[in-house]
Amino acid sequence: MKKFLAIIGILLIVLCLILQFILPSTVETILKEQVVNSTSANEVDVSLSSSPNFRIALGEIDRVHATAAAGRIGEINFKNVTLDGEKIRLDILELLFPSKNLTANERTQRIFKHANKIELRGVVTDEEIKNFIANKDSNFENTQVAITPNGATASARVKFLGRKVDLDIAGTFLVNGGDVYFHMTRLNSNSILSRVNIDTFLTDIKVLDSANLPLGLKFDSVELREGEAVITAVTAVQ
């Protein structure tokens, strides 16, 4: 009888160790893979916390925090990315033993059952916006971009009606329908465009599409700083 109780006691200790340390670590690793796959991020760190800690093994997470040194969403490279979530409930069985023949989005929807809040924040530099413009259209030459708290300016030389035109652009970033756009407020030229109504060329350029975001996130706000833009996306998984 004493041997039996001792064995039961050992098994309970082992079970407690698995629930307290091993399974939470496994969940962190799998979530890290999710972040890497959805943002092409580098050097991702994920930390989970619940009280008591074994609740993580049951799929109940009070807080999740993930950071990445760099990441890519759509056509934009981010300087860094952070993800924070509160009161998240996961399907642990689906996480550990994924169903077959599911797309990445379908699997994510099965894993994340509920969250009070999930927020993703990424920093984009003006250098990256310059590269985005240059890659978007090979007609742009000598592109320069500067971001300040008051807005963004850009200059470039572009081919227009067989000639090269120097453009001076001013604008800001805004969120519309969950996507991020560059909204032009000024478009000047000291060349041929000075003889036409250039206001007709003013348009919003889509920079980031929420369709490229994981976890049902939608872009929510853009904060401009010196030399960079902080872009936030949020969701509430029900």
Side-chain angles (χ1 to χ4, degrees):
M1 184 66 178
K2 288 183 179 181
K3 280 187 177 182
F4 176 75
L5 292 176
I7 292 173
I8 293 298
I10 292 172
L11 290 176
L12 288 174
I13 292 173
V14 171
L15 179 61
C16 287
L17 289 173
I18 291 173
L19 291 176
Q20 189 74 9
F21 300 107
I22 298 176
L23 274 179
S25 177
T26 302
V27 173
E28 286 184 6
T29 299
I30 294 175
L31 288 178
K32 178 179 178 178
E33 292 175 355
Q34 293 282 312
V35 174
V36 170
N37 291 338
S38 59
T39 65
S40 301
N42 301 318
E43 302 176 25
V44 178
D45 291 317
V46 177
S47 62
L48 312 176
S49 63
S50 284
S51 182
N53 201 48
F54 74 81
R55 290 176 53 240
I56 296 175
L58 304 178
E60 298 176 3
I61 301 171
D62 290 339
R63 289 179 178 83
V64 57
H65 178 71
T67 61
R72 183 179 179 88
I73 299 175
E75 300 179 64
I76 297 293
N77 290 309
F78 285 76
K79 177 181 176 182
N80 57 63
V81 177
T82 62
L83 186 145
D84 291 283
E86 299 176 0
K87 300 297 181 184
I88 297 172
R89 183 161 53 86
L90 306 177
D91 186 331
I92 290 296
L93 290 179
E94 182 63 37
L95 192 66
L96 298 177
F97 309 103
S99 301
K100 296 181 180 180
N101 302 321
L102 292 180
T103 66
N105 286 337
E106 289 171 340
R107 186 177 178 228
T108 298
Q109 290 174 0
R110 288 201 181 188
I111 291 172
F112 285 85
K113 307 300 291 184
H114 172 82
N116 281 5
K117 179 182 178 182
I118 297 178
E119 179 180 279
L120 182 144
R121 299 175 77 244
V123 176
V124 179
T125 65
D126 48 14
E127 182 71 15
E128 174 56 27
I129 297 299
K130 183 188 80 171
N131 294 336
F132 170 77
I133 294 173
N135 294 332
K136 200 74 174 175
D137 193 329
S138 59
N139 289 322
F140 286 99
E141 299 176 357
N142 302 327
T143 305
Q144 298 296 325
V145 174
I147 298 176
T148 71
N150 297 320
T153 59
S155 61
R157 176 167 291 183
V158 62
K159 294 178 182 178
F160 183 78
L161 299 179
R163 299 179 60 179
K164 289 188 176 181
V165 179
D166 292 321
L167 296 180
D168 174 30
I169 301 168
T172 189
F173 295 91
L174 55 81
V175 177
N176 186 8
D179 302 324
V180 177
Y181 293 84
F182 178 71
H183 174 66
M184 284 192 287
T185 57
R186 188 185 76 236
L187 173 60
N188 294 331
S189 171
N190 58 6
S191 186
I192 189 172
L193 287 183
S194 62
R195 298 196 297 271
V196 300
N197 181 13
I198 59 177
D199 287 344
T200 60
F201 292 89
L202 294 175
T203 184
D204 291 345
I205 302 171
K206 184 181 287 189
V207 178
L208 287 163
D209 193 324
S210 62
N212 295 312
L213 290 172
L215 308 175
L217 287 159
K218 299 287 185 182
F219 290 107
D220 180 68
S221 64
V222 179
E223 177 190 356
L224 299 183
R225 299 177 181 174
E226 199 66 39
E228 62 187 26
V230 181
I231 301 173
T232 302
V234 298
T235 189
V237 182
Q238 301 296 331

